[in-house]
Amino acid sequence: MGLSAAAPLWGAPGLLLTIALLLALSLHPAQTWAPVHRDYCVLGAGPAGLQMAYFLQRAGRDYMVFERAPGPGSFFMRYPRHRKLISINKRYTGKTNAEFNLRHDWNSLLSHDPRLLFRHYSDAYYPDASDMVRYLSDFAERLGLHVLYNTTIAHVTLNKDRRAWNGHYFILTDHRGQAYQCSVLLVATGLPVPNQVDFPGSEYVDGYESVSVDPKDFVGQNVLILGRGNSAFETAENIFSVTNFIHMLSRSRVRLSWATHYVGDLRAINNGLLDTYQLKSLDGLLESDLTDLAIVKDHQGKFHITLKLFMEAGNQSSDAIPLPQDDNDNFAMRVAYDRVIRCLGWKFDFSIFSKSLRLSSGSELSKKYPLVRASYESKGSRGLFILGTASHSVDYRKSAGGFIHGFRYTVRAVHRLLEQRHHGVAWPSTEHPITHLASAIIRRINEASGLYQMFSVLADVVLLKENATIFEYLEEFPMQMLAQLETITGRRARHGLFVINMEYGRNYSGPDKDVFFSDRSVGHMEDAWLSNFLHPVIYYYRHLPTEQEVRFRPAGWPLPRPSALHHVVEDFLTDWTAPVGHILPLRRFLENCLDTDLRGFYAESCFLFALTHQKLPPFCQQGYLRTQGLVGTESLRQHGVESGLLWDSAIMGQRQGASEQQPGNHRPGGHPLAPGPPVSPFNSNKEEL
């Protein structure tokens, strides 16, 4: 029945009808579906993207992560090429404090699940990259994060709309043509594009992203590596045992991470070539601007280095091109090379972003990163945030914001900012009596991982309440956004504030510094301001600094000049708990700023203060005068008797006995002002202070 009903369609008239319909559909295509809306769109399911997804999910927000690969952490599926990570996996610290242990765990993301710590995925101090892929996959799966895999976002543009949170929506179009509309765009794509230098002969160069990783392919060869970072030295480390020699060429000198205190500089795990160079075993390092060079390939397939200015216009044989050694027979690179390898790092991919987003790169030194504010929001578009490695322009060559152990905290700071801005959820804080201030600071500087890793970038902020009897404690706030603290956090800074951060000595680190000089350590608290190694620094402001003060702060200072400044003296163990060396100077600094006494007292001392001082220490105000923690003792009773506020029970007993012998007399005597026995303010059922 169905077949006979359909048959007329395929006859001569039916065929014409079918063709007509197809032509009509091609000329007037069906209306496309409206874009799928999400409040938050996250580009990239690497560590930063998954970290943001975790916070959004815990807050119950509407979000989606877009990932072009079939699984998370696609960068680590291929890089580093030789598979050994340089992020440390320190599994043992001697401590059980989870927050402290994160200081030395450079691979874990933040979550509530203790199973999702990287220490459970590898025993190696420098783990294999495949372990990171496995870890990120479990992180996304166990937490049920919303990730759309196999989805390449091909184009991002902006659509203005007054109904939108930020006055516009972000429109994302994937490779299938499906559009997504987002209120907030969080870009966590990393730095996927290899840096390249265009010079004559650059087509002969092998890229780090594609060069062989099999040492057998380099046996007995002369190799030139362009670059001076970890990828260059990692490549050299893999092959220098089988090559004739390796020469390494870059415009800048080697920067060693232990000298600069910057984790992105050359790490000791990769610097074996420095030994063979300095110990004169044929390998060597040279400095030159790559844009001034040219590579010439001879008839035997060997590569010669010459200068671009020697290259003459027009086609000519390689034999006719002048070489530097023609004029200078001591030219360092006069030998021919079998391979030239480019290891020049990576940069952000701007190609998918429309000009309407005004997403641009930074200066010459940080042009590989998009320009962002200290809040990690794009300078060109409100509501567009850069996360993870790509956000490193905020602290480039200063702190750890380009690496997992740093950006897991900056991502959390961005999420807290978004919670306040769009959902009215104030920045998390805790409130304490002022007597707990010193102990709160001591706890954080000894435990907090965010302060420790994002030194001079994220700081804790203490907001003082009226009369400085109570304070609010906010954790890990972007320091350079201090002037906008009230807007970003939803908290008020009306009565002064303290800012707690970690800093190196200002003249301690740098590629030209000898960080092993004999008097590098400071051990006495009076010299704390001369501390070189990482140590806590506390700033006190009577008023919240203005944006102008933050912008024009002194060179090298993370914040404007404060009303008072305190350095906690550096400690070899990074354990700032010494009663005399660390705690006492900190307490005295806080007391001077607050003009109050922060010590704790026994009830007896509070009692004496109440008799002799108009203003009691906060500890006594919050305890003794509220009858909290008072226990009657013989010493206290005696003070009361001597002051005339209490009866002497022994004398009272004698007089009571005498009065009972006199008929009709039932009142105690001995105190002219008291009609009867006073009520003792001491309660033996109260807890001690």
Side-chain angles (χ1 to χ4, degrees), residues 8-55:
L9 185 62
W10 298 106
L15 180 59
L16 291 174
L17 177 61
T18 302
I19 294 173
L21 287 172
L22 291 174
L23 288 173
L25 289 173
S26 64
L27 293 174
H28 304 284
Q31 185 177 1
T32 57
W33 294 102
V36 177
H37 179 81
R38 290 287 181 268
D39 287 344
Y40 296 94
C41 289
V42 182
L43 291 189
L50 295 183
Q51 185 68 87
M52 177 54 77
Y54 168 76
F55 291 125

Side-chain angles (χ1 to χ4, degrees), residues 437-438 440-442 444-445 451 459-462 473 479 497-503 506 528 535-541 557-569 576 582-583 585-587 589-590 593:
L437 179 55
I441 294 174
I442 289 294
R444 287 288 293 171
I445 64 177
L451 293 183
D460 287 359
V461 179
V462 171
Y473 202 104
M479 295 177 66
L497 64 154
F498 292 94
V499 180
I500 301 99
N501 97 115
M502 309 283 275
E503 297 177 16
R506 292 194 175 92
H535 63 285
V537 182
I538 295 93
Y539 295 73
Y540 170 64
Y541 296 94
W557 285 59
L559 288 172
R561 291 188 185 277
S563 304
L565 180 69
H566 178 70
H567 290 255
V568 180
V569 67
W576 291 279
H582 300 136
I583 299 176
L586 173 62
R587 179 176 61 77
F589 167 75
L590 298 175
C593 294

Side-chain angles (χ1 to χ4, degrees), residues 247-261:
H247 290 167
M248 194 171 287
L249 180 66
S250 178
R251 68 178 180 181
S252 61
R253 297 167 54 191
V254 172
R255 295 187 178 97
L256 300 168
S257 60
W258 49 259
T260 62
H261 304 296

Side-chain angles (χ1 to χ4, degrees), residues 3 29 46 59 97 142 210 241 251 285 362 364 406 494 549 561 577 658-659 663:
L3 183 60
N97 184 288
R142 287 186 181 179
S210 58
S241 63
R251 68 178 180 181
L285 277 66
E364 179 66 23
R494 296 288 187 260
E549 289 172 335
R561 291 188 185 277
T577 57
S659 65

Side-chain angles (χ1 to χ4, degrees), residues 412-473:
R412 182 163 64 183
V414 170
H415 177 254
R416 288 171 171 171
L417 180 156
L418 292 170
E419 285 290 291
Q420 161 61 17
R421 178 186 290 184
H422 297 303
H423 308 288
V425 179
W427 195 284
S429 71
T430 54
E431 193 170 284
H432 309 275
I434 200 67
T435 52
H436 294 181
L437 179 55
S439 60
I441 294 174
I442 289 294
R443 181 182 66 83
R444 287 288 293 171
I445 64 177
N446 281 287
E447 296 178 2
S449 178
L451 293 183
Y452 193 83
Q453 298 297 358
M454 291 305 298
F455 53 88
S456 298
V457 177
L458 297 182
D460 287 359
V461 179
V462 171
L463 302 178
L464 300 172
K465 297 297 186 179
E466 191 172 3
N467 298 324
T469 58
I470 296 175
F471 67 91
E472 267 189 302
Y473 202 104

